[in-house]
Amino acid sequence: MMLQSHSRFLLQTLLTRAQNLDKAVELDYQWIEFDDVRYHVQVTMKNPNILLLSVSLPNPPPEAMSFDGLPLGAIEAIKTTYGTGFQILDPPRDGFSLTLKLNFSKVRPDEAYRNSLLTKLASIREVVMGAPLKIILKHLASRTVAPELDRLVAIMHRPNETFFLVPQADKVTVAFPMRFKNSVDTILATSFLKQFVEARRAASLSSAPSCSWSPTAPQELEGAPKETLSANAGFVTFVIMPRHVEGEKLDRTVWNLSTFHAYVSYHVKCSEGFMHTRMRRRVESMIQALDQAKPLEKTRSMNNKSFKRLGLNDANHTNSK
């Protein structure tokens, strides 16, 4: 199961507001989604057609490409994706990395167009956090390398964590240091990643990016800061070719790479929950079997004769007689 590129709660909030513009309702929602991305939606009674969407991203580590708290190329990506339908507030609301202003009265009344626009807005996380990766993969599609990039590029994808890219004209190597806080998660993730690599070897997946796992940093990460190479679940490496980013494949590849760690974490937690459920059911069945094995009466018959089970005190009393 792949993670959805749009925020379901954000999309639901936007669609509900768009369908009830005739009602002056005040909205003030805040919530946090995976990888510590925080959202804030505001609508006031004074301006019911104006919606403010603020997004807070994790603080980028020093090695990541960023500008004013946003990934490199994020502002340009927003303008390209949303056009002139949105206004970027400068500065953003306090405590947030980005604030967008949407005026519903300027949105075309066509329902299909409006829903498409709001779905794009609900995918703001993909647009912003995937911006630097998209720049690199766009150059790969044209078999070039952006001249301003270093040999090794670090991109933030989780709080204080990055993954690395080695861009070349004919391929882009993507390496993920996989870290988990829980020891059980680490064991499950390591097993999952090894099987992930084995599954790639199937004939049906021959056109997918090549994938490898190693317990130590791959050679491509030579020169990366040592503190970024601590990975208790090893390193996963993908090799992206131009055919993987052609046309509509580009956005899907950007999203899948940007959320790869979250994808693994999701399946690790699902596996852990499944095993706990199976263990509980097994224990319940064993307890039920033990309950059924308990004697229901104190007397038993053997060869049509009855006897009474004696306790230790009863046996001593009989012997004394």
Side-chain angles (χ1 to χ4, degrees):
M1 176 180 176
M2 304 305 295
L3 301 176
Q4 293 180 326
S5 61
H6 63 265
S7 165
R8 294 182 62 183
F9 183 74
L10 176 56
L11 179 59
Q12 179 184 352
T13 301
L14 295 173
L15 291 176
T16 301
R17 184 62 203 137
Q19 294 165 2
N20 297 276
L21 291 176
D22 55 329
K23 300 178 182 178
V25 179
E26 184 170 343
L27 299 180
D28 193 349
Y29 296 156
Q30 291 197 53
W31 70 98
I32 299 177
E33 296 193 353
F34 64 92
D35 290 344
D36 203 26
V37 176
R38 184 160 56 98
Y39 296 89
H40 187 195
V41 172
Q42 290 177 291
V43 177
T44 64
M45 297 281 288
K46 184 178 180 180
N47 296 304
N49 287 327
I50 302 297
L51 181 142
L52 297 181
L53 170 61
S54 300
V55 182
S56 174
L57 304 177
N59 292 326
E63 69 275 7
M65 299 189 304
S66 62
F67 181 76
D68 286 346
L70 292 174
L72 182 67
I75 298 298
E76 291 75 11
I78 292 172
K79 293 178 179 178
T80 301
T81 303
Y82 303 123
T84 59
F86 298 84
Q87 179 184 351
I88 302 174
L89 299 188
D90 187 17
R93 290 297 177 95
D94 289 342
F96 291 89
S97 311
L98 172 72
T99 299
L100 296 180
K101 178 180 178 181
L102 170 63
N103 190 339
F104 280 104
S105 63
K106 295 183 179 180
V107 177
R108 281 180 9 209
D110 178 56
E111 184 176 359
Y113 171 81
R114 183 188 62 193
N115 291 347
S116 175
L117 181 67
L118 296 181
T119 302
K120 286 183 179 180
L121 181 57
S123 304
I124 183 67
R125 173 202 177 102
E126 175 189 13
V127 174
V128 173
M129 297 194 69
L133 180 57
K134 195 168 187 176
I135 292 174
I136 294 173
L137 295 183
K138 272 187 174 181
H139 279 277
L140 175 63
S142 59
R143 297 181 181 272
T144 60
V145 177
E148 68 276 10
L149 295 179
D150 297 330
R151 183 197 68 84
L152 184 64
V153 178
I155 297 179
M156 178 190 68
H157 66 129
R158 303 181 71 233
N160 298 316
E161 292 189 18
T162 55
F163 65 97
F164 297 91
L165 289 87
V166 181
Q168 296 174 271
D170 58 341
K171 66 179 181 180
V172 172
T173 303
V174 187
F176 290 88
M178 303 300 293
R179 306 178 184 92
F180 294 87
K181 295 180 180 179
N182 186 293
S183 59
V184 175
D185 291 354
T186 302
I187 295 172
L188 291 176
T190 302
S191 177
F192 176 84
L193 293 170
K194 290 180 180 179
Q195 292 299 318
F196 192 86
V197 173
E198 288 297 322
R200 165 60 182 82
R201 298 176 181 176
S204 59
L205 298 176
S206 58
S207 61
S210 63
C211 176
S212 62
W213 177 89
S214 64
T216 58
Q219 186 177 2
E220 289 83 0
L221 296 187
E222 183 179 354
K226 290 184 179 180
E227 61 272 14
T228 66
L229 299 181
S230 59
N232 54 10
F235 295 78
V236 180
T237 303
F238 296 97
V239 178
I240 310 298
M241 309 299 289
R243 68 175 183 273
H244 299 134
V245 292
E246 294 174 346
E248 296 180 355
K249 296 179 182 179
L250 175 62
D251 289 336
R252 186 169 67 249
T253 301
V254 168
W255 175 248
N256 290 342
L257 290 174
S258 300
T259 59
F260 177 71
H261 196 290
Y263 166 82
V264 175
S265 298
Y266 171 82
H267 284 279
V268 165
K269 291 300 183 183
C270 287
S271 300
E272 191 174 346
F274 175 76
M275 286 188 290
H276 286 173
T277 301
R278 290 292 300 271
M279 290 168 64
R280 282 193 292 268
R281 289 178 180 173
R282 182 61 176 167
V283 170
E284 289 171 358
S285 66
M286 293 175 66
I287 292 175
Q288 185 178 7
L290 291 173
D291 288 340
Q292 293 174 351
K294 291 180 179 179
L296 300 179
E297 300 178 357
K298 289 188 176 181
T299 61
R300 295 182 180 179
S301 62
M302 181 179 294
N303 297 329
N304 297 324
K305 296 181 179 181
S306 299
F307 67 93
K308 182 179 179 181
R309 178 181 294 176
L310 297 178
L312 183 61
N313 294 332
D314 295 332
N316 294 334
H317 180 70
T318 301
N319 292 334
S320 64
K321 289 182 179 181

